[in-house]
Amino acid sequence: MKNSTITRFALCSLLLSSICANAQKTTLEVDIAKTVTKIQPTMFGLFFEDINFAADGGLYAEMIKNRSFEFDKPLMGWEQPNTKRSSLNMQSGAATPINVSENKTNPNFCRILINDDKGYAIVNEGFRGMGVKKGAKYNLSLKAANPDGSIKKIIFQLIDKDQKVMGETSIIPSSKEWKNYTSQFTAAQTEAKAKLKITFEGTGTIDLDMISLFPEETWKNRKNGLRKDLVQLLYDMKPGFLRFPGGCIVEGRTLSDRYQWKKSVGNVEDRKTMINRWNMEFSHKQTPDYFQSFGLGFYEYFQLSEDIGATPLPILSCGMACQYNTGELAPMEELDPYIQDALDLIEFANGDLNTNWGKLRSDMGHPKSFNLKYIGVGNEQWGPDYIERYKVFEKAIKAKYPKIIIVSGSGPSPDGEHFDYAMKELKKLGAELIDEHYYKSPQWFRENAARYDLYDRKGPKIFAGEYAAQSVSGANPNNRNNWECAFSEAAFMTGLERNAEVVNLTSYAPLMAHEDAWQWTPDMIWFNNLEAYGSANYQVQKLFSTHKGTDLLNITRDGKPLTGQNNLYASAVKDVNTKKVMIKLVNTASTSREITIGLKGSKIETKGSLTTLASAGLQDENTFSEPEKITPKESEYQLKDGKAQISLPPYSVSVLKLKIK
Ligand code: AHR
């Protein structure tokens, strides 16, 4: 046969098989009375990491970048537009960072010398600008010292990109010593790229530090709070857990820049600012102005978990820096401080007020325990060095807190030498919960829906802790949050759910990205300084987590689970509290598909609902201009003769919700 004939022949048979698959009606069976296993309430959760400006510049609502002048370049983020020379060849003013080395955690402040009345200003650029909304109030706070009383007033203005003033307030720096000042202003217009301009009345010297600006409206209107729109997106998912603070940020590029939770609690101004390890990680996406203020620290992570109804799941360094970077190791005989950090964290979360760390939690505003049940030892470590360290952590944690469940890691890949080694060793050690990570192609996700079908039911439980379909390849800046990736994840997620006996926790990663300051894509939620939207992947995650169920049911065709035969995937659950049955169906074919579901075991109300997420194009995406292009549509559904007959659209994820009588 000539090539063109072969191609025509192949096309015809493909077409024929697809017509046949769709012409035949597919009949599925669900036994509502038979619980296969209980589903953990933690089944679908969230992975948060400060990557892509997700914390500073994102979830953490602080609008001033480098508020305490502690970046490596202390004036980074601060412009001085009017430092032109006057006729006397004098600068109109100048800002000089001063380091008071006896203050160990916040040593720098800014000394400003005003020479004349030529309009010296210092301007903060925010995190790629500041998002302000017309009519909204903004709370300003700062520390100032006016040593010789010569500065009469400090004026703060929100300016737009054309320098127009959109809001103004001022303070009188009344003390020679350091003193805290607060004020508030209201924005006269909406602007995504506002800046804060500071000018002065009088000539002389003034010292400034901790210059901070927050919207008054934060999540629960908390001071030092979080962006309300972003938390709302998380809350709406009803997540089972919140993993924090990462990711590789836990490990650091070197051990000295690992995440140390103790440095992230207590007074906000005493939390030592540190570089963010993602700032220069990728040559294609450098963000040298990416630092961690720790204004969003461990107390705030626990509080956020509680607010959104999620079980907290902190992950700590195990004395190994990121093996993609230095792989620096804390020697075994020097592991104690790392282990102590883990023990103290449990005390911080759960300890009573007579304990040191429990008292700190209470002093910070939360006398009640945060009810910590899980702790992660290391993030994405691999090799014998990890296993050796894990053993020591496990022994120490279990000796003091036998009920705490320890999360161990299986490395960066769901297969291969490192993975196999970790699984073998962790199983031998009787590990309770193993974290698996997969950043793979959409096809991999479709082909691996049966991944856990053969996992040992008596072995360790699985935490699918980081996963996302990559439209191009892992860590590639051209990856997109497209519909093909999202529905392929949905197909895979039916496999996670079908295996709830083994898989206890799952989370998409990473969670958030700033439109103008990201390093890694794809990401579940995209935001800029004013707006945020959930990607198609977010919609898939939300559909699963809001239809989670308490009990797993079997859904089969000819007695077999649906793991992609003819592009069809399915899982079924019931919620014994609400008496709902929820059936998830994923059609990854380009054609629609007729399904009949036979329901046995319980009587069902004839009226239910059908929620469908679908989009015609594989490359379709939600965007800032079309944030709801791919969004669930819910309609009433009527059972016929006790059976469900459904037409699944091409490329679709559907949830059929029925009520048990
Ligand atoms: O999610 C982004 C990164 O991917 C995480 O920090 C790391 O654990 C993984 O390699």
Side-chain angles (χ1 to χ4, degrees), residues 54-128:
D56 288 282
L59 192 57
Y60 184 48
E62 173 64 87
M63 296 158 74
I64 306 287
K65 185 170 71 184
N66 195 11
R67 64 186 172 192
S68 56
F69 306 96
E70 300 297 334
F71 284 16
D72 287 356
K73 292 183 183 154
L75 288 179
M76 193 178 234
W78 295 93
E79 303 157 6
Q80 301 173 74
N82 298 337
T83 46
K84 59 183 185 284
R85 293 183 181 267
S86 72
S87 51
L88 294 172
N89 203 24
M90 289 253 296
Q91 283 184 311
S92 57
T96 312
I98 308 284
N99 184 283
V100 191
S101 48
E102 63 269 22
N103 182 334
K104 291 275 178 280
T105 56
N106 186 356
N108 294 349
F109 64 86
C110 184
R111 173 155 295 163
I112 295 180
L113 172 67
I114 314 294
N115 285 324
D116 55 30
D117 60 359
K118 296 286 184 290
Y120 171 79
I122 181 162
V123 176
N124 190 273
E125 64 189 20
F127 298 91
R128 309 296 188 271

Side-chain angles (χ1 to χ4, degrees), residues 136-148:
K137 293 192 168 73
Y138 294 88
N139 292 329
L140 174 87
S141 62
L142 70 149
K143 298 170 89 70
N146 195 3
D148 48 14

Side-chain angles (χ1 to χ4, degrees), residues 628-641:
E628 302 207 332
K629 186 181 171 83
I630 306 170
T631 195
K633 311 275 179 303
E634 186 171 329
S635 56
E636 242 186 47
Y637 184 80
Q638 199 82 24
L639 283 187
K640 287 190 196 96
D641 306 325

Side-chain angles (χ1 to χ4, degrees), residues 47 49 51 247-249 251 278 324 379-380 437 439 466 509-510 520:
F47 162 97
E49 176 164 23
I51 183 172
C248 292
I249 209 159
E251 307 162 30
W278 293 108
Y324 286 118
N379 171 46
E380 221 172 45
H437 293 180
Y439 294 98
E466 289 186 31
W520 179 295

Side-chain angles (χ1 to χ4, degrees), residues 378-399:
N379 171 46
E380 221 172 45
Q381 273 61 58
W382 63 78
D385 292 325
Y386 174 63
I387 299 297
E388 204 183 1
R389 281 162 182 74
Y390 170 80
K391 280 185 202 162
V392 187
F393 271 83
E394 196 211 20
K395 193 166 168 218
I397 294 171
K398 286 291 180 187

Side-chain angles (χ1 to χ4, degrees), residues 391-460:
K391 280 185 202 162
V392 187
F393 271 83
E394 196 211 20
K395 193 166 168 218
I397 294 171
K398 286 291 180 187
K400 192 154 183 200
Y401 299 105
K403 287 196 179 140
I404 290 284
I405 299 173
I406 304 176
V407 177
S408 51
S410 59
S413 261
D415 44 37
E417 194 190 328
H418 294 318
F419 177 82
D420 294 343
Y421 172 77
M423 288 310 244
K424 185 172 78 156
E425 295 301 318
L426 289 169
K427 264 186 203 163
K428 273 198 258 165
L429 293 171
E432 298 167 286
L433 190 55
I434 305 183
D435 183 12
E436 296 186 0
H437 293 180
Y438 12 92
Y439 294 98
K440 295 282 191 180
S441 69
Q443 187 186 354
W444 184 94
F445 280 87
R446 296 194 297 271
E447 287 173 353
N448 280 274
R451 174 179 175 87
Y452 296 107
D453 290 15
L454 297 179
Y455 265 52
D456 181 0
R457 268 38 195 166
K458 297 203 167 58

